[in-house]
Amino acid sequence: MATKSTLFALLIGGLAAWSSAFAPAANTNRHAVPGVPAAALGDPRIVPAGGRATALRMWGNDDEIEGQDRIKSCIPYLLPLIDGDHFAKYINLRFPPLGLVDSVTISPLANLVDSVPFLSLILFLVLSLGTRALNLSRPIKFNAQQAVLIDVALIFPELIG
């Protein structure tokens, strides 16, 4: 479990570098339904020949995520990464290179959050409640809510151990 926090930091860097690999291929229709023209899926007034619609579009438009939104989508994951950093101490003792990476990247942020009283709680509330009011894109809101759930999941090992 402790290696996940260090590997997650490396994964974020790799995803930012290879973000173009996640772009959908050109001319793909992920919402294709047999017998329903692609234009009918976006227009609620068009009903297929059978008399009732067989598919609903869940996401509106399929715009690609821009570069800035990809970076902004990674930022909320710093909260569970910082809160779970103390789980890394055992793996850092066994693998000193990972401990060095942790001490350079994550530990300064964890020390900053620990030095300010209730900062972790404030960040948690901002991510859980603040994303509803802001005009953020859907992937950023989704990643913020997912980071909150991961942070909640980190509470259980602390309660048990």
Side-chain angles (χ1 to χ4, degrees):
M1 174 136 307
T3 60
K4 289 183 182 179
S5 66
T6 307
L7 292 176
F8 190 74
L10 296 174
L11 179 68
I12 288 176
L15 288 178
W18 301 306
S19 62
S20 63
F22 295 103
N27 297 328
T28 59
N29 186 4
R30 289 179 271 159
H31 302 290
V33 176
V36 179
L41 292 175
D43 190 357
R45 296 172 294 159
I46 299 175
V47 178
R52 61 176 215 214
T54 57
L56 295 174
R57 281 189 71 144
M58 298 298 289
W59 295 102
N61 57 2
D62 282 337
D63 294 335
E64 289 188 28
I65 302 172
E66 298 297 324
Q68 286 183 338
D69 283 348
R70 290 175 192 237
I71 302 281
K72 290 177 189 175
S73 293
C74 294
I75 291 172
Y77 291 107
L78 289 176
L79 178 66
L81 191 64
I82 290 169
D83 286 345
D85 185 50
H86 62 278
F87 292 119
K89 65 182 174 184
Y90 303 108
I91 195 73
N92 291 342
L93 292 174
R94 301 276 269 172
F95 300 103
L98 287 178
L100 179 65
V101 171
D102 181 57
S103 66
V104 171
T105 58
I106 302 167
S107 290
L109 292 173
N111 291 336
L112 176 72
V113 170
D114 290 340
S115 66
V116 178
F118 300 110
L119 183 60
S120 182
L121 178 66
I122 292 168
L123 290 174
F124 179 83
L125 291 175
V126 165
L127 285 179
S128 61
L129 301 175
T131 55
R132 296 179 187 166
L134 298 175
N135 281 336
L136 298 173
S137 66
R138 188 176 300 244
I140 296 173
K141 288 182 180 182
F142 173 80
N143 288 337
Q145 292 296 320
Q146 190 174 26
V148 166
L149 290 175
I150 293 170
D151 199 40
V152 168
L154 286 173
I155 293 172
F156 296 116
E158 292 177 2
L159 292 176
I160 294 172

